[in-house]
Amino acid sequence: MSGKKNTAAMILAAGQGTRMKSALPKVLHRVAGRPMLWYAAISARKMATQTVAIVVGHGSGQVQTYLEQEKANFEPFEVVIQEKQLGTGHAVQQAYPVCTRPTAGPVDQFLILNGDTPLLTQETLTALVDCHESEKASLTLLTTVIPEPRGYGRVVRGPSGEVCRVVEDRDASAEERNISEINVGTYVVDATFLGKALSQLRPQNTQGEYYITDIIEMAVHQGLKVVAWVTNDALETTGINTREHLAIAEKEMRRRICRRLMLSGVTMLDPDRVLVDDGVEVGRDTSLYPGVMLEGHTVIGDNCIIHSNSRLNNTLVGNNVLIQDSCVLLEATIKEGAVIGPFAHLRPGSLIQRKAKIGNFVEL
């Protein structure tokens, strides 16, 4: 956590995600092997010194089951159920009492995140909080500029460049729709101001919803300081609303993972054609050929070679292992110096001892 203030966090994860056209709650769709909610929850936990409240709604049972499974990674956190999805402002209204009850400890400010922006980086969130604290603002919002802002809330500024309000796309005038600076939906808000503002929220829009963005105009009218932190990386602000957005996030997240591995000493002949999940570890001087897929919590040792079109899922691989082309290894353990394949299939529980050789078309 970059600042010294007591910071609680809220994650808004109650949306149905109708454009995903899926029975699965939107925030449980996977990006680089993890539900997208993972990334928001981990970021919130790193940034917050106090309670993290995760607001769930659509498919709340499935989301709560997932949160329970990952409890050790996300604790401490509280689940808040938004029975009726009446907008982002309503979601924050449900979470605020949980974060401010006496047992939760003192709160100076809130970090508000969406559960469907998995590409948002820790560096950007830290910069946002630093900006809020250095500017002594009552509210700081994260914004970016994109060439095609349709569907996003526009940031309306005054003649001196000051933030005046955010208008949602469906409520915007023709002139406001020409604005290219958009609201990302991530905020740092002074706790005292937020509590008062939430009590004044009204559904004054065409959707009959409570917009959290309305508190921006409230702050301005009260003469409080509102600032925007503008990120130049519009891609990291991508909210996942469709399968196309999901594919964009997937590609970018995997690019980041491959870059991180290459910087740590892993060789990739064609990183665009190597798929590595977020939970995978790969040792230095290991070479990954095109078409390799490393899934789940796979761990690869040092100085290994994994040839094209091999898939490893939750598999442990020791040092100096050679895996030939087109092998499938599922929850297997491969010890140092072993040679596998080509075209080998190792089923869950398979144990390949040191310097053993598993030949062509072998299935264990």
Side-chain angles (χ1 to χ4, degrees):
M1 180 62 200
S2 61
K4 297 179 180 179
K5 290 190 174 183
N6 295 313
T7 304
M10 301 176 184
I11 301 174
L12 311 187
Q16 183 174 359
T18 54
R19 285 187 283 168
M20 296 293 287
K21 300 189 184 303
S22 174
L24 188 69
K26 181 171 73 168
V27 294
L28 295 186
H29 281 267
R30 292 180 177 269
V31 174
R34 297 190 190 274
M36 67 177 85
L37 180 56
W38 161 277
Y39 300 99
I42 289 295
S43 292
R45 188 63 275 158
K46 288 179 178 178
M47 298 299 298
T49 61
Q50 310 297 87
T51 301
V52 173
I54 303 176
V55 184
V56 303
H58 178 73
S60 60
Q62 291 172 273
V63 178
Q64 287 183 88
T65 297
Y66 168 69
L67 292 172
E68 183 64 27
Q69 292 170 353
E70 297 290 353
K71 189 175 181 179
N73 292 307
F74 300 157
E75 283 188 317
F77 68 92
E78 297 278 351
V79 175
V80 178
I81 299 179
Q82 187 184 17
E83 297 289 355
K84 295 182 179 180
Q85 283 79 67
L86 300 177
T88 53
H90 182 255
V92 174
Q93 285 176 332
Q94 308 307 299
Y96 185 83
V98 173
C99 294
T100 55
R101 61 192 178 196
T103 56
V107 179
D108 299 315
Q109 61 192 15
F110 286 90
L111 173 65
I112 302 174
L113 303 168
N114 285 314
D116 63 355
T117 51
L119 298 179
L120 208 53
T121 64
Q122 200 71 36
E123 291 76 14
T124 293
L125 292 177
T126 298
L128 179 70
V129 173
D130 286 347
C131 174
H132 179 81
E133 295 180 359
S134 64
E135 292 286 341
K136 295 181 172 55
S138 291
L139 188 153
T140 303
L141 64 154
L142 181 63
T143 73
T144 193
V145 177
I146 59 175
E148 297 292 338
R150 182 178 179 182
Y152 294 94
R154 310 303 204 281
V155 179
V156 180
R157 291 181 179 263
S160 300
E162 71 277 13
V163 175
C164 295
R165 64 193 180 100
V166 168
V167 59
E168 297 301 323
D169 183 67
R170 62 176 67 94
D171 301 313
S173 66
E175 182 180 1
E176 290 166 338
R177 288 196 177 107
N178 290 326
I179 297 172
S180 58
E181 184 181 8
I182 64 165
N183 175 38
V184 174
T186 301
Y187 314 90
V188 183
V189 190
D190 175 78
T192 302
F193 165 70
L194 182 61
K196 294 176 181 177
L198 290 175
S199 68
Q200 298 170 23
L201 272 184
R202 300 292 182 269
Q204 298 172 336
N205 51 74
T206 60
Q207 299 298 302
E209 294 183 348
Y210 295 82
Y211 290 164
I212 192 59
T213 49
D214 287 349
I215 71 172
I216 297 169
E217 197 168 5
M218 288 183 194
V220 171
H221 286 165
Q222 293 174 34
L224 301 175
K225 191 170 187 178
V226 176
V227 298
W229 173 263
V230 185
T231 174
N232 294 323
D233 184 358
L235 183 57
E236 75 166 311
T237 70
T238 302
I240 311 302
N241 294 310
T242 67
R243 304 283 182 152
E244 184 179 18
H245 295 153
L246 190 66
I248 290 170
E250 178 83 8
K251 184 176 181 179
E252 171 61 11
M253 189 67 76
R254 291 192 184 279
R255 184 197 67 78
R256 293 179 186 178
I257 293 167
C258 287
R259 181 176 185 273
R260 183 174 71 241
L261 289 175
M262 288 188 288
L263 289 174
S264 71
V266 177
T267 295
M268 298 184 189
L269 279 66
D270 185 353
D272 288 340
R273 296 172 59 198
V274 175
L275 302 181
V276 183
D277 280 357
D278 183 61
V280 169
E281 299 175 25
V282 184
R284 65 182 182 178
D285 294 320
T286 285
S287 295
L288 306 177
Y289 279 66
V292 166
M293 298 178 65
L294 305 180
E295 301 173 340
H297 296 285
T298 292
V299 177
I300 311 294
D302 296 342
N303 200 38
C304 296
I305 298 176
I306 305 179
H307 281 279
S308 295
N309 303 317
S310 288
R311 175 183 168 228
L312 284 67
N313 181 281
N314 292 319
T315 290
L316 303 180
V317 177
N319 299 332
N320 303 304
V321 169
L322 171 62
I323 298 176
Q324 299 282 15
D325 301 76
S326 301
C327 295
V328 177
L329 283 58
L330 308 176
E331 299 176 26
T333 299
I334 318 298
K335 294 197 173 180
E336 181 179 359
V339 177
I340 311 294
F343 298 99
H345 182 186
L346 304 186
R347 295 184 180 278
S350 296
L351 172 61
I352 309 304
Q353 297 288 358
R354 185 173 179 270
K355 294 190 176 181
K357 295 185 179 180
I358 303 298
N360 301 9
F361 300 101
V362 171
E363 181 174 0
L364 296 179

